[in-house]
Structures are given as C-alpha cells and as structure tokens.
C-alpha cells in the first residue's frame, strides 16, 4: 500500500513539474530536481565504506542486499533492499541512483545524478567524518564544473536536493559507550553540542550553494533491537530513557531548522521525521502490516559492533524480510523504509515545490 501511494505521488509531481524541450518539437519530462546529494551515516550510505579499507562498518556481504533490485546482491546498503533515499529518488523521477562518491561509478555523466558522500559510523561529533564528506563534496563540485561548465554546475547544485542523515551513532556508538563523554556532558548539553555542529554543517552547505536541505530526525533510539538488547535489562519493550534522549535532540533540531530558515531567506530546509513512523512500527507493528518489531530479520552478532549488524559468520535469515520492521539491529527493512518514505512526503514536497 505504501508503494502504491508513493507511485501515485510521483506521477502527480511529475505531471505538475516543468517539462523540458526534447529538441524535436515534443517535451521530455524532467526529474523534479536535477540531482540528489546525500551526507551522513549508515542510514544513507550506499557503498562508500566498501572503498574504505579501514572501515569497520560495512554491508558488503550477504544477507545485505538480498532483495535489492534484480541483482539481489550486497551493494553497501544496510538493509535487505532499498533505503529511504533510494525510494525518495524514485519518487522524484530518477531512473538511476546517485553513486557512492568513492566508487569507480562516480565519474562522467553519472555525476549529473548527484553523489552520495555518506559513510557508515559517521556522526556529528566526529568532526573528521564531516570534514571529509565536505572535502569530497567540494571535489565533486569541481568535477561537475569541468564536465558541464561552471554556470550549468552552479544551476544544478542550487536546485539539487541535499539530504543530511546522521546522529544515531553519536549516542549508540559514542555517548552510551564513552564514559569520558557522558561524564563531561549531560544529555541536554550533549544535544546542544551536536546541534551546534549540525548548524555549522548546514551553514557551510548553504555557503557552498545548497538551497534545498532535508535533515532527518533521530529515530526512536530506545526501540532499536540492538539498544533493547544492550540497555533493556531483559525487558522486550522500548527503552524510554533512550527515546527521551532522541526526543530532546529532535526538539532542539526543530528549533535550529526554523532559525536557519529565518537566517537564509532563499533556503528551503525541512526535517524528515523518522522518529514517529519508526516508533509506531516498533510499538504496533501489526497496524502497519508487520509481524515482528523486536527480532531482526538477519541473525546479528553478540560482540562489539556485531550486535548492530548481520553476522557474516552465519547464514541466519528470516523467510520474508517484509514481515520485519528491522533487518538488522539498527536498520529498517526495505518494507519499513517504504513506510518511512511515505511519512516524510509532506516535508519533501515543501523542499521541491
């Protein structure tokens, strides 16, 4: 049902969007935005970490990708199939996805689709990750200008849709594990720190030409199977303390996004709320057509980072991933990503119309 509604929306948006002269007297329907550009962590990584030899978090092994398109092979996406940015791109009329920037595919005409700079395990607090993603973005700008000329490149970059999706790792990989960090900051002050970093990142994107920015909220941190396992004290329900931390961050994010919109009159910026739909699916899976929200589709590991990811040493996999809200300990299944994508439609429309 979510897929049908998204398809109908895509058709409506394409009908309303300007058509391009095809040069033969007819018209060719354009994508609603010329390019899609993504920054962030594993929620939007489409394979960059496959090209980073030292990266610990990778999704380059089975069962990741078992339902992805016709290939049904791992691509670096942390799900059984499509992630939210894939679905968003399709809704916007793209026939192909922007490539991971570190891949060999990120060259030539493929650069016209945009680029994905996301890297699993990145976070706001990790200044190095943000610095490198912006460094690669500036490099991409130069390559695009060399390909089609500075004027055309500037036009594409100003009309492109930018997506920023990170923050989960700041808590589940950093704050909850780093005693030094949690002793220096309470949750409120830690959220202030992260929000200030996001604000600086968004302002820098604006300075570099971005005019349409969508930023994701934090998910319900206490409903992720991995965090329930680690912090649930043997109970199966969501860990409310962790959800409260996510809500604190999200409230501050709302205020900051409003301030950025006021500061830059020509900036369209919106929040993609993933907290609400994912919490609803986690607490009432049957209402959204799912059978399971506590167990993961793939069998996860038991130590260190493997509690979050599918265990490469086992072949444990559910029969039907679409019955599960979560594919691994942190990341939703493609079916859940469809629900999340549908729930963010209104925010998306505000950015592209």
């Amino acid at each position: 049902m979510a897929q049908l509604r998204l398809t109908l929306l895509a058709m409506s948006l394409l009908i309303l969007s300007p058509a391009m002269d095809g040069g033969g007297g007819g018209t060719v329907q354009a994508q609603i935005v010329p390019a899609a550009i993504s920054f962030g962590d594993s929620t939007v990584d489409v394979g960059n970490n496959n090209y980073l030899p030292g990266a610990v978090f990778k999704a380059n092994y089975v069962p990741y990708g078992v339902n992805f398109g016709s290939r049904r092979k791992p691509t670096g996406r942390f799900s059984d199939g499509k992630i939210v940015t894939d679905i968003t791109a399709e809704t916007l009329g793209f026939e192909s996805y922007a490539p991971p920037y570190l891949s060999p595919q990120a060259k030539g005409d493929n650069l016209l689709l945009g680029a994905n700079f996301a890297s699993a395990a990145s976070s706001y607090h990790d200044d190095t990750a943000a610095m490198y993603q912006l460094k690669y973005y500036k490099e991409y700008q130069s390559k695009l200008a060399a390909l089609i000329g500075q004027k055309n490149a500037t036009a594409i970059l100003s009309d492109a849709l930018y997506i920023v999706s990170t923050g989960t790792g700041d808590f589940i990989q950093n704050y909850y594990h780093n005693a030094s960090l949690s002793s220096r900051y309470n949750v409120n002050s830690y959220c202030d720190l992260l929000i200030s970093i996001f604000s600086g990142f968004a302002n820098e994107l604006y300075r570099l030409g971005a005019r349409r920015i969508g930023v994701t909220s934090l998910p319900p941190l206490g409903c992720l199977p991995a965090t329930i396992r680690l912090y649930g004290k043997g109970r199966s329900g969501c860990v409310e303390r962790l959800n409260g931390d996510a809500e604190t961050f999200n409230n501050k994010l709302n205020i900051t996004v409003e301030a950025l919109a006021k500061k830059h009159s020509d900036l369209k910026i919106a929040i993609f709320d993933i907290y609400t739909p994912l919490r609803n699916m986690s607490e009432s899976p049957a209402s959204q057509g799912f059978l399971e929200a506590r167990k993961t589709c793939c069998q996860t590991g038991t130590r260190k980072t493997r509690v979050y990811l599918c265990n490469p040493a086992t072949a444990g996999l559910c029969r039907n991933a679409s019955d599960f809200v979560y594919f691994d300990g942190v990341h939703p299944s493609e079916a859940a990503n469809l629900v999340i994508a549908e729930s963010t439609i209104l925010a998306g429309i505000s950015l592209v119309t």
Side-chain angles (χ1 to χ4, degrees), residues 3-339:
Q3 181 65 71
L4 174 61
R5 287 192 287 263
L6 284 167
T7 300
L8 291 173
L9 172 71
M11 292 173 64
S12 300
L13 286 173
L14 286 170
I15 290 170
L16 292 171
S17 67
M20 296 181 65
D21 187 350
T27 58
V28 177
Q29 197 64 57
Q31 296 147 187
I32 297 168
V33 294
I37 298 170
S38 301
F39 302 89
D41 57 18
S42 59
T43 55
V44 289
D45 187 353
V46 295
N48 280 308
N49 272 25
N50 292 353
Y51 302 93
L52 291 174
V56 174
F57 285 83
K58 294 184 180 183
N60 60 348
Y61 56 91
V62 175
Y64 289 110
V66 295
N67 293 318
F68 186 78
S70 58
R71 293 178 57 200
R72 298 181 180 273
K73 294 180 179 179
T75 63
R77 290 165 171 80
F78 289 79
S79 187
D80 61 301
K82 299 172 188 174
I83 58 176
V84 172
T85 48
D86 296 328
I87 300 162
T88 300
E90 292 173 357
T91 305
L92 293 174
F94 286 83
E95 295 182 357
S96 303
Y97 307 127
Y101 185 71
L102 298 181
S103 73
Q105 290 73 42
K107 62 182 179 180
D109 286 351
N110 284 343
L111 297 177
L112 299 176
L113 297 169
N116 183 299
F117 302 95
S119 174
S122 296
S123 62
Y124 285 120
H125 193 252
D126 182 358
D127 292 339
T128 303
M131 179 183 70
Y132 272 103
Q133 289 187 33
L134 281 176
K135 172 190 171 185
Y136 288 134
Y137 173 63
K138 293 173 185 176
E139 183 180 277
Y140 164 75
Q141 287 184 311
S142 298
K143 289 182 178 179
L144 191 63
L147 182 68
I148 59 174
Q150 186 62 60
K151 183 178 179 180
N152 291 330
T154 299
I156 286 177
L157 294 169
S158 64
D159 282 337
L161 175 63
Y162 294 75
I163 296 175
V164 179
S165 180
T166 193
T168 299
D170 284 294
F171 287 89
I172 68 173
Q173 294 161 222
N174 295 336
Y175 190 73
Y176 298 146
H177 285 282
N178 188 331
S180 173
L181 195 62
S182 57
S183 65
R184 281 185 288 141
Y185 301 97
N186 60 29
V187 170
N188 192 64
S189 60
Y190 186 59
C191 288
D192 285 337
L193 172 66
L194 301 181
I195 290 295
S196 69
I197 295 170
F198 160 72
S199 181
F201 187 85
N203 277 310
E204 180 65 5
L205 277 184
Y206 177 85
R207 188 187 71 80
L208 293 170
R211 293 298 182 268
R212 307 172 191 262
I213 302 175
V215 55
T216 63
S217 68
L218 283 188
L221 296 174
C223 293
L224 307 177
T227 55
I228 292 174
R229 182 175 175 179
L230 291 169
Y231 307 109
K233 299 180 180 179
R235 296 188 290 271
S236 62
C238 296
V239 184
E240 288 307 314
R241 174 177 63 85
L242 273 57
N243 281 346
D245 295 345
E247 290 171 4
T248 297
F249 177 90
N250 290 341
N251 289 336
K252 293 177 182 291
L253 182 65
N254 285 330
I255 294 170
T256 300
V257 164
E258 290 177 2
L260 286 167
K262 290 179 180 178
K263 178 180 180 181
H264 305 296
S265 60
D266 59 340
L267 173 65
K268 292 184 177 182
I269 184 167
I271 294 175
F272 293 142
D273 174 20
I274 65 172
Y275 179 95
T276 302
L278 198 48
R279 180 160 187 172
N280 289 341
M281 285 186 281
S282 297
E283 296 185 329
S284 303
S287 67
Q288 300 288 339
F290 296 93
L291 300 180
E292 181 60 65
R294 291 293 172 263
K295 296 179 181 178
T296 59
C297 176
C298 73
Q299 184 175 337
T300 58
T302 58
R303 299 178 59 190
K304 296 183 178 179
T305 60
R306 290 303 172 195
V307 73
Y308 303 122
L309 304 180
C310 299
N311 190 342
T314 68
L317 184 67
C318 66
R319 179 174 298 178
N320 188 356
S322 63
D323 289 336
F324 286 69
V325 173
Y326 294 96
F327 187 66
D328 63 16
V330 177
H331 305 99
S333 64
E334 178 183 295
N337 282 329
L338 279 166
V339 176

